[in-house]
Amino acid sequence: MKTRVASILRLKFIQRMSVYFITGAIQRSLAFLLLPLYAHTLPSSELGQLSLLLAVEIVVGIFLDSGFSQSAVRYFHAREKHEGEIIVSRLYLTAAGYALVVSILAFGALTLLWGHVLSTSRPPASLLALVVISSFLQRQVTFSQQLNRARSQAKAFAVVSVLQIAITTSLTAAFLLVFDMGIEGVLLSRVLGALIPSAIGVVRLVRLSIRTRGKDLGVTMFSIWLFAVPLLFNQLASWGRNMADRFVLANYVPIEHIGLYFTANLIAGIMFFVNSTFDQTFAPFYYRNRRRNTPGFRMFVFRVSEMSFATWALVC
């Protein structure tokens, strides 16, 4: 009986993972289409500067999020479904206020410290502002998408993700080919591409929070923060492994070489894509079935772990 239940869980897991995998493949494919566009329209020095700015965007986004979006998946399944959604909506408002404050501090820090950390000249303040705004909006999209994951709404997750990358890719092509806006056009397209998906998520979460104002849920923001802190350090470690090296290189090689390194690194990003696809599927699946104490769940986790280790051993 437990073996049969584990087989059913594994089938559902693979079905949902396939949706995330196809979505990620579409996103990666459109991102790869931008590589020849960058090479054709941007000088090598600007391509190097873009590499640094995109890495800054990601690390700023990590600090803005601070593990709260991943905590949403955990605490969505900590209680009954309706209470879980309320907890997530309250968490969103708290985390959004926190992200806004950190965004302002991040812009100030980038403006003041860039020249002290890197030997390259500091980008214009307008570019740094676009980087921080993009990080903030991307963080809003990430949080609302976590609610789709927690609800096991893989299709809704896919629609929002594809919509965002389609808007971003189209605007990038227009800004570079038609308006010749350079790096500013690339960053502006990322801001506008995240604007609509983030607005969709904000409206849904804020409405729910307002309707349930004053209800005691028995879960404090402090306990959620304690859960989120290790996730923050985990994300920073991942960023350090994959992106911090370009800042070290920027102090020793011409910025043109950083652009070439950035292009090659995008191709190698397939490893991160496979790992993130698995994580997007497994976390909500695990928390939901653990709370329900689903029969055969332990065997399911064991089988999935076997599959995961075998896959990574083969890839490595």
Side-chain angles (χ1 to χ4, degrees), residues 2 7 15 26 63-64 68 85 96 125 132 157 179 182 193 202 266:
K2 289 185 177 180
S7 299
Q15 288 174 339
I26 294 173
F63 279 107
L64 297 187
F68 285 124
E85 293 196 0
V132 174
F157 180 96
F179 299 101
V202 166
L266 281 179

Side-chain angles (χ1 to χ4, degrees), residues 229-265:
V229 168
L231 300 175
L232 167 63
F233 289 111
N234 177 65
Q235 291 173 344
L236 287 175
S238 177
W239 179 87
R241 289 194 308 270
N242 296 290
M243 295 190 172
D245 52 356
R246 66 189 68 181
F247 291 94
V248 177
L249 292 173
N251 289 317
Y252 298 98
V253 301
I255 195 168
E256 292 84 356
H257 295 178
I258 304 297
L260 179 62
Y261 181 79
F262 160 69
T263 304
N265 194 50

Side-chain angles (χ1 to χ4, degrees), residues 22-263:
I22 293 172
T23 302
I26 294 173
Q27 289 179 301
R28 291 283 171 174
S29 299
L30 292 176
F32 285 145
L33 289 177
L34 292 177
L35 288 180
L37 183 61
Y38 291 155
H40 178 70
T41 57
L42 297 177
S44 55
S45 60
E46 290 192 7
L47 192 59
Q49 189 177 61
L50 176 63
S51 170
L52 296 176
L53 289 173
L54 292 180
V56 168
E57 178 190 277
I58 292 175
V59 74
V60 169
I62 290 173
F63 279 107
L64 297 187
D65 183 71
S66 293
F68 285 124
S69 63
Q70 289 180 287
S71 300
V73 177
R74 163 68 177 83
Y75 281 91
F76 181 89
H77 295 291
R79 301 297 181 89
E80 294 301 321
K81 181 178 179 180
H82 180 64
E83 290 185 346
E85 293 196 0
I86 297 173
I87 292 172
V88 170
S89 66
R90 299 272 182 84
L91 174 60
Y92 170 79
L93 292 180
T94 302
Y98 165 82
L100 182 60
V101 173
V102 175
S103 297
I104 297 172
L105 296 175
F107 176 73
L110 289 172
T111 304
L112 296 174
L113 300 178
W114 185 286
H116 298 285
V117 176
L118 297 174
S119 59
T120 60
S121 59
R122 180 178 65 81
S126 59
L127 294 184
L128 295 178
L130 286 174
V131 165
V132 174
I133 294 171
S134 178
S135 295
F136 181 81
L137 292 177
Q138 298 284 355
R139 183 256 164 215
Q140 309 309 309
V141 175
T142 299
F143 198 104
S144 62
Q145 284 287 66
Q146 297 290 31
L147 184 57
N148 287 329
R149 286 180 54 206
R151 289 171 168 171
S152 297
Q153 296 176 336
K155 292 182 180 179
F157 180 96
V159 169
V160 173
S161 298
V162 173
L163 173 65
Q164 180 180 356
I165 191 63
I167 294 174
T168 302
T169 303
S170 301
L171 290 177
T172 300
F175 289 153
L176 291 180
L177 295 175
V178 179
F179 299 101
D180 193 24
M181 295 177 63
I183 295 179
E184 186 175 8
V186 175
L187 297 177
L188 182 59
S189 69
R190 295 179 66 83
V191 169
L192 297 177
L195 189 59
I196 294 177
S198 66
I200 295 173
V202 166
V203 170
R204 180 176 56 178
L205 289 166
V206 170
R207 281 180 177 176
L208 181 59
S209 181
I210 292 176
R211 289 201 308 267
T212 59
R213 183 184 303 171
K215 184 174 181 179
D216 182 19
L217 299 174
V219 177
T220 65
M221 290 297 110
F222 181 72
S223 63
I224 298 178
W225 179 80
L226 289 178
F227 181 84
V229 168
L231 300 175
L232 167 63
F233 289 111
N234 177 65
Q235 291 173 344
L236 287 175
S238 177
W239 179 87
R241 289 194 308 270
N242 296 290
M243 295 190 172
D245 52 356
R246 66 189 68 181
F247 291 94
V248 177
L249 292 173
N251 289 317
Y252 298 98
V253 301
I255 195 168
E256 292 84 356
H257 295 178
I258 304 297
L260 179 62
Y261 181 79
F262 160 69
T263 304

Side-chain angles (χ1 to χ4, degrees), residues 241-292:
R241 289 194 308 270
N242 296 290
M243 295 190 172
D245 52 356
R246 66 189 68 181
F247 291 94
V248 177
L249 292 173
N251 289 317
Y252 298 98
V253 301
I255 195 168
E256 292 84 356
H257 295 178
I258 304 297
L260 179 62
Y261 181 79
F262 160 69
T263 304
N265 194 50
L266 281 179
I267 299 174
I270 187 66
M271 296 282 286
F272 175 76
F273 161 55
V274 173
N275 184 65
S276 61
T277 300
F278 176 82
D279 179 66
Q280 288 169 347
T281 312
F282 184 75
F285 222 81
Y286 174 82
Y287 290 126
R288 180 172 58 256
N289 287 284
R290 189 183 70 170
R291 183 178 66 83
R292 294 175 179 173

